[in-house]
Structures are given as C-alpha cells and as structure tokens.
Amino acid sequence: MKYDVAVIGAGIGGIATSILLARKGYNVSVFEKNSYPGGRCGSITKERHRFDIGATMIMMPGIYEKFYNSIGRTFKDEFELFQMDPTYKIKFHNGKEFLFSPDLHEMRKQLESFEQGSYGKFLKYMSKTSNAFSLSIKYFINRNFNNMFDMINVRNMFLLFRSKAHRNQYSYIGGFFKHDALRYIFTLQNLYIGQNPLTASAVFAGLPYMELSEGVWFPRGGMSEVAKNLFKIAKENKVEFYLNSPVKEIKIRNKCAEGIILNDQSFHKADIVVSNADLPYIHNHLLPKGIWTRRINLLNYTCSAIVFHWGLDIVYPQLKQHNLFVSSSYKKDIRRVFKEKSLPDEQTFYLHSPVRSDQTAAPSGQDSISAVVQVGHLASNLEQNWSLLKKKARKGIIQRLEKEGMKNFEKHIKFEICYLPKTWQTLFNLTKGAAFGSVSHNLSQMGYFRPHNKHFRYKNLFFVGSSTQPGSGVPLVLLSAMLTSERIIHKFK
C-alpha cells in the first residue's frame, strides 16, 4: 500500500522528512505558508546583497554527512564549503580580542595571554568533554525514546552525572578557567540556540569541543543553499510542493488525523500528517485544544532576536566572517534578556560578514552585514515598546562598531532590513517570536522530556523540527527528520 503523507511546512525538517519518506515509496505532499522553501534557513536578496535569515554556519558536519549518506548522496559533493579559521572573532569592551580557532598553536598563544597555564587546562577540558559529547550524541540525541525508561536508566544516569548535567555550565567552566573572558568564550555557544549561557546545564560543555574538532564551515551561496539543495533532491524524488499554502487546521476524527485544511478552505486527505510547523503553534492553532496545549504553553521558551541586515558600500577590514562584540556588563545584560524579557542598555551582539569567504554575497567591494542582538521574547504581561527597543539596539550597535574603528558606518549603509520578535512570529509562526526554535533546552526539556515527535493521542500525526526531539539547530533538525521518518516507516510499512 502506498500511503499519502501531508507535510506541513517546508523548513529543513519538512523537506528532509519528505525525501526520506518519498525514497521509501510514500506519496508526499508538502504545504508551505511562504513563497519559498527553507523556513529560517532561507535568504533575503536585495540589490545583489544576500543575507541568511537564520543559521549562518554549518556546525556538526558529520550529521550533515550522515543524512546525505542516508539518501544516497555525499554531503561535500553537493556544496563548495569554506572552513572558518578563525571560527569567530570575539572582541571585548576593553579592546582585547580572541580568535577562536582550530589552530592549536594560535589557541595556545591567546589562552596564555589571558591566563597563565590556561592552555594546559584547555587541553584537559577538551579531553574531558570529547568523550562525554560523543556519548551524549549516541544515547540522548541520535535516538527515539519509546518510554521513560529509555531515558531514565542506570547507564544514562551515570552518563548525565559524568557530563555534569546537574551543574551550571558557567560554574563548571570556572573549574578550568578563572578569567571571566575565558569563561565567556567557552559558554557563548549556548547563544546559538537561544538559551542563557549563565544558567545552561554543563551538558552543553561539549559544544566548544564540537566546533574545534569537526570545524565550522560555510557554503558558497549561503546557508540557504542547503535548503535549495534539499528542495531539489525532494523534487527529484517526486515530492509535490505547494507554496503560498498556509494550513488552517489539522482535521481530526476518531483519534486520527484525516488530513489538512488550508486557509482557502480546501481539504487535503492524508493517511499520515507530519508537521514541521513550530510545535506550540500547532497545539494552539491547528489542533483541538486540550490538556497538552496547556502543558506546552507552560514550557520554557528561547529568547528572541532583533536582526539588522545592512547592505554596505564598503568592506571593513576590522571584521572576520563571524564576530562577537561583548559588552562591559554582559552578565547583567544576559539577565536582562532572559529574566526581564527586554533589551540590555549595552548590547552584546553577533555580526556576520559573509564576503570574507564568499564574494557572491555582495557586489564587488561591498558587504552584506547581519547584526543579531538577543532580546526577550514576546510577553503579553510586560510592556515591550519594540519601536523604541529597535532604535536603542541600532544606536548601540553602530556606536560600538564606530568605536572599533569602523568610521562613518551609518553613512555606508545603502539600505536596512530589520526583523523584530513580531516578524519571527508572523513570518514563521514562532510562538512568542522565539527566534531560535521556540522550546528551550533546559534539562527538563531534553531527551525523553522534550516534546515527542509523535502525538500521544492521534496515532498518525507526527512532528519534526526544532521544537521537538532532539532539539534546535540545522544539524539536530536533520536528525529530527531521520528519527521521525524512522517512527513512521516502522509503524506504516
């Protein structure tokens, strides 16, 4: 029997799942609300300037390779990849900088300049986290959980204890480095997934090891090339795509999903429904509300981001491809984002300058800058004046860049595109405008305890993407597609 599958959303998870199922003989149709595939892995192009909307780098390339091997392809044959060295440049408010690099000779010089004896501690740290990271991938991330005891057992409890999951990562890093700047450098990776680096579990201590051991890469054409490539492969496997087709409802009858209803009221019958939409959005807007809706709404959510995309008529030599500018009071500032759901008075921000490796990102001699400032997500119980916060963020970024020697920065801006939390909510249905995939990664929302990839009641309804297992980020979303497809194929042979 050939099963008809309706996939809601053509993000990376939806497209990847459609390929895996189509290759197994399922008839797959994908319904996407926007005019382009890729979701947050899309791009914006204006006046020959190109900007990545979400992810700006390839991390954990081994997972990409694993996925592409599963569909009969070789990842590195599909793209022209540039390795990032340095991975990123970190500039502190006092003028000191650190180039986070896979070159251990460079790391030694820089670490010792901050704290004598720190290079030896760095090697010890890498050794301790390498094994824990590999085991975490195997037992907590790259697997489906069928019941609680797949997660809670003697082996896994020992691994969690060994990974220091019960400890705060910032304090755990303090056991290796005393200098605040080094503690920041080895916890900032939490910002990639929108969580607080000061309170995150030490289970994430393996992220710096992952960056340095596997490398960080960038594809010519930007991260949207990943989405375009998967879209092309899906179409080659006879997947049908319906763009500009927002879904209004998942039709439920007798504890089964019968299909989907679009905004134009058309009904599309399906034997299996897979939703790549933001999971809290699904429960609040596409399904009948119940106890699980209330539980979802009580979860912890990631922060949001104000993003400025600037087309510049100049290339500033002070920048690397990936840059972090750290404020003078980043601990207080981070608490302002996560506790007060607001914007700090002085911003720590990330800045992407893609022309350092890929000159196709802008006209010759120009640049396509993206500046990302983390900010609290939308909160109905708080007064959040986003017009004022946008102006404050913009002013703070430009002042800092000019202080760093990028003179007349504002005069070199040809045009500006800005994303606010409401933009993320409107464009991608991200609950609370939580820009990093809404559901956060605290310890009680990981592994088995993260929202599951199959509905507990509707047996033919499945989920894929950053808000379900295993978590956020393009690599984990590719794993999510593999895990969800594994469940479907096992149940509907």
Side-chain angles (χ1 to χ4, degrees):
M1 176 181 175
K2 275 198 170 185
Y3 293 99
D4 292 324
V5 182
V7 178
I8 303 171
I12 293 294
I15 303 172
T17 303
S18 77
I19 296 170
L20 293 166
L21 295 179
R23 284 175 55 83
K24 291 293 184 179
Y26 295 76
N27 295 320
V28 186
S29 299
V30 182
F31 300 84
E32 166 59 41
K33 75 183 287 285
N34 292 316
S35 60
Y36 58 89
R40 284 173 290 148
C41 204
S43 63
I44 304 166
T45 302
K46 182 175 180 178
E47 297 177 19
R48 294 171 53 212
H49 290 267
R50 187 190 67 242
F51 309 91
D52 288 318
I53 293 174
T56 57
M57 60 184 81
I58 288 174
M59 295 186 290
M60 304 176 79
I63 292 178
Y64 286 81
E65 194 65 67
K66 178 179 180 177
F67 175 81
Y68 273 85
N69 288 344
S70 76
I71 60 172
R73 306 286 179 114
T74 301
F75 172 58
K76 289 186 178 178
D77 290 345
E78 299 289 324
F79 304 94
E80 182 179 354
L81 298 173
F82 306 101
Q83 184 170 12
M84 299 290 100
D85 188 9
T87 305
Y88 36 78
K89 174 182 176 179
I90 304 161
K91 194 68 184 286
F92 293 95
H93 69 282
N94 60 4
K96 294 200 74 172
E97 67 179 43
F98 194 100
L99 302 180
F100 198 77
S101 170
D103 184 330
L104 293 183
H105 179 68
E106 286 298 317
M107 288 291 281
R108 180 173 192 157
K109 286 193 301 183
Q110 294 182 97
L111 286 165
E112 292 294 328
S113 75
F114 275 81
E115 181 180 318
Q116 189 174 3
S118 60
Y119 182 69
K121 295 174 183 177
F122 161 73
L123 293 179
K124 183 180 178 181
Y125 168 80
M126 293 289 280
S127 176
K128 278 184 171 290
T129 56
S130 62
N131 191 45
F133 179 75
S134 300
L135 292 173
S136 294
I137 292 289
K138 181 177 180 179
Y139 292 112
F140 299 117
I141 294 175
N142 189 21
R143 61 161 300 167
N144 276 312
F145 294 93
N146 295 311
N147 57 65
M148 186 184 297
F149 298 106
D150 285 345
M151 174 83 174
I152 302 177
N153 54 55
V154 174
R155 179 199 64 208
N156 288 354
M157 292 302 98
F158 174 74
L159 288 176
L160 285 171
F161 180 79
R162 188 176 173 185
S163 301
K164 311 299 180 186
H166 58 290
R167 291 191 60 186
N168 172 296
Q169 185 186 352
Y170 192 81
S171 64
Y172 173 67
I173 295 295
F176 297 90
F177 309 112
K178 300 305 177 188
H179 199 294
D180 259 359
L182 296 185
R183 294 174 75 176
Y184 174 80
I185 289 166
F186 286 90
T187 54
L188 66 85
Q189 295 78 11
N190 288 283
L191 298 173
Y192 298 160
I193 51 177
Q195 68 179 7
N196 188 338
L198 300 179
T199 60
S201 164
V203 75
F204 291 98
L207 292 178
Y209 164 79
M210 172 270 294
E211 290 181 321
L212 295 177
S213 62
E214 293 194 60
V216 172
W217 306 76
F218 187 74
R220 181 180 291 279
M223 285 298 292
S224 63
E225 288 300 306
V226 176
K228 291 174 185 175
N229 179 264
L230 293 174
F231 182 65
K232 176 177 71 71
I233 295 171
K235 294 182 80 171
E236 289 170 359
N237 282 276
K238 306 295 190 291
V239 176
E240 295 287 339
F241 285 87
Y242 299 88
L243 303 179
N244 297 303
S245 299
V247 174
K248 179 182 178 182
E249 178 185 347
I250 299 172
K251 184 70 173 175
I252 300 297
R253 184 181 179 189
N254 297 329
K255 296 185 179 181
C256 280
E258 287 190 316
I260 60 174
I261 301 172
L262 304 187
N263 278 7
D264 64 9
Q265 302 303 322
S266 61
F267 174 68
H268 298 262
K269 192 177 186 307
D271 302 304
I272 302 162
V273 174
V274 181
S275 185
N276 183 210
D278 179 54
L279 196 141
Y281 177 84
I282 298 165
H283 283 278
N284 280 285
H285 299 280
L286 303 186
L287 289 171
K289 292 186 178 180
I291 187 170
W292 189 245
T293 312
R294 293 192 290 275
R295 289 179 181 175
I296 286 284
N297 291 336
L298 291 173
L299 294 176
N300 288 317
Y301 288 76
T302 68
C303 67
S304 190
I306 297 175
V307 181
F308 297 97
H309 299 296
W310 288 314
L312 298 187
D313 63 8
I314 191 174
V315 177
Y316 283 104
Q318 294 90 341
L319 298 173
K320 300 296 184 183
Q321 178 148 347
H322 303 289
N323 310 267
L324 282 150
F325 294 90
V326 186
S327 73
S328 60
S329 56
Y330 74 90
K331 288 183 184 177
K332 183 179 80 172
D333 297 339
I334 285 172
R335 293 188 184 101
R336 188 85 186 269
V337 171
F338 290 93
K339 296 292 185 183
E340 300 175 29
K341 305 293 186 290
S342 189
L343 177 75
D345 292 329
E346 182 186 357
Q347 295 84 46
T348 292
F349 61 93
Y350 163 77
L351 193 146
H352 185 219
S353 172
V355 298
R356 311 294 151 169
S357 64
D358 182 9
Q359 284 73 41
T360 68
S364 178
Q366 302 186 31
D367 207 347
S368 302
I369 296 289
S370 297
V372 182
V373 184
Q374 292 194 314
V375 68
H377 59 61
L378 297 170
S380 59
N381 62 323
L382 298 174
E383 184 177 339
Q384 297 170 308
N385 187 325
W386 292 108
S387 176
L388 288 179
L389 292 175
K390 173 187 172 181
K391 291 176 183 177
K392 180 179 175 181
R394 187 181 192 275
K395 181 181 179 181
I397 293 169
I398 292 174
Q399 284 181 342
R400 177 65 185 270
L401 295 177
E402 297 222 346
K403 179 184 174 184
E404 297 292 342
M406 287 164 259
K407 300 301 181 185
N408 300 311
F409 187 90
E410 187 162 18
K411 291 181 180 178
H412 289 291
I413 297 174
K414 297 165 62 180
F415 62 85
E416 174 179 298
I417 300 167
C418 181
Y419 278 29
L420 297 170
K422 193 68 179 176
T423 316
W424 299 108
Q425 184 182 59
T426 302
L427 282 181
F428 304 112
N429 291 335
L430 290 169
T431 304
K432 300 178 185 288
F436 298 86
S438 61
V439 178
S440 189
H441 291 81
N442 53 296
L443 204 55
S444 63
Q445 292 176 188
M446 293 169 59
Y448 175 81
F449 302 106
R450 193 167 182 82
H452 295 188
N453 55 11
K454 65 174 182 176
H455 198 278
F456 73 101
R457 177 177 295 165
Y458 311 133
K459 305 306 181 184
N460 64 333
L461 174 59
F462 298 84
F463 308 110
V464 65
S466 59
S467 293
T468 184
Q469 298 170 3
S472 297
V474 178
L476 296 196
V477 169
L478 289 173
L479 282 182
S480 173
M482 298 176 76
L483 295 173
T484 300
S485 299
E486 177 186 286
R487 281 203 187 279
I488 293 169
I489 293 165
H490 178 75
K491 185 174 180 64
F492 296 90
K493 296 179 180 177

